Amino acid sequence: MPDPAFLKLPADKRARLFAASGAEFAANGFERASLNRIIGELGMSKSSFYHYFQNKTDLFQQTLTHALAPLMEALLAVDPQALTQETFWPEIAQLAQDMTRMAIEIPDHVTVARMFYRSFDNPGERALTLSVFANMQGWIEALILRGQGLGLIRTDLPRSYLFDMALALGMATDRWMLAHWDELDDQERLSLSDRFMGLFLKVLAPDGAA
């Protein structure tokens, strides 16, 4: 399969384009985002833009994929099937810390995460985010199955409920952090990451085990 056309765009200009598009989509949502404003920041003509991208949808999806790639790579690098009783919760807690640090070090991650949720929460735009959502959903389901197999996640509730609840709690945590990110310093962000992890453990662990 040939490389996407946008990879032919010089790396520095591509990075600036993704930064501009992430900010525009996060602020206005997909439908109201202005392609003219995005490319205007770079002095790029529409004919040049369409040489590298098919349309605004293509730009949205490439921006999302590009910015979230390191976060998704970190997530998928934790193979639920490889976790043991000793490593299960410590590795997940470390993952949460690592992902928080990545967001601290690369502010574009925060902008694009806001872009993701703005479109995910809009039924008319949700389809744009489904590939990322499916990866998160599949990983959480595999994690819960492994945790139950290790005796570290409760089995007294329907498994489908635990899937939905864990995903909803994770997304609620993300939304809260994104809404308050600019009010927090780095230490508060990392500390909250640990405390939120403790909440997940209390909710998911078998009775009396948390």
Side-chain angles (χ1 to χ4, degrees):
M1 180 181 294
D3 289 336
F6 76 86
L7 290 178
K8 299 175 184 177
L9 193 64
D12 60 334
K13 194 167 187 176
R14 187 168 68 240
R16 288 191 292 120
L17 176 61
F18 284 150
S21 62
E24 178 71 14
F25 288 129
N28 299 296
F30 177 80
E31 292 297 338
R32 297 183 64 183
S34 167
L35 184 57
N36 287 335
R37 279 196 296 266
I38 294 170
I39 64 177
E41 288 194 28
L42 280 77
M44 178 185 282
S45 68
K46 276 196 173 180
S47 61
S48 179
F49 171 83
Y50 286 117
H51 179 71
Y52 297 108
F53 297 90
Q54 297 177 21
N55 47 38
K56 190 167 76 168
T57 298
D58 187 24
L59 177 61
F60 180 98
Q61 292 176 328
Q62 297 298 348
T63 299
L64 187 65
T65 300
H66 171 79
L68 296 186
L71 297 173
M72 294 307 299
E73 183 178 351
L75 179 74
L76 299 177
V78 178
D79 178 6
Q81 295 307 312
L83 298 175
T84 67
Q85 282 191 325
E86 292 74 26
T87 64
F88 187 86
W89 287 116
E91 283 205 27
I92 297 169
Q94 186 60 55
L95 173 65
Q97 283 280 296
D98 290 346
M99 295 180 82
T100 302
R101 285 193 176 91
M102 278 192 274
I104 290 170
E105 293 168 4
I106 307 175
D108 283 353
H109 288 174
V110 175
T111 301
V112 174
R114 288 169 173 160
M115 161 184 154
F116 168 85
Y117 279 107
R118 176 152 192 157
S119 289
F120 183 84
D121 292 337
N122 183 333
E125 300 179 12
R126 183 169 295 175
L128 295 165
T129 66
L130 290 184
S131 63
V132 172
F133 177 76
N135 284 333
M136 293 191 300
Q137 184 178 41
W139 185 83
I140 287 173
E141 290 180 358
L143 191 71
I144 288 175
L145 285 170
R146 180 60 174 167
Q148 288 184 325
L150 295 171
L152 298 175
I153 288 183
R154 62 196 307 157
T155 58
D156 60 324
L157 294 169
R159 187 174 288 160
S160 60
Y161 171 77
L162 291 176
F163 291 161
D164 290 348
M165 183 275 299
L167 185 61
L169 182 55
M171 295 180 80
T173 300
D174 282 350
R175 287 186 176 95
W176 190 92
M177 285 290 281
L178 291 168
H180 297 275
W181 187 262
D182 298 333
E183 305 165 13
L184 305 169
D185 62 34
D186 291 349
Q187 190 54 48
E188 288 172 321
R189 293 162 180 163
L190 292 167
S191 177
L192 280 168
S193 175
D194 282 339
R195 281 181 274 166
F196 289 140
M197 191 67 245
L199 175 61
F200 274 89
L201 197 156
K202 288 181 179 180
V203 170
L204 291 172
D207 287 345

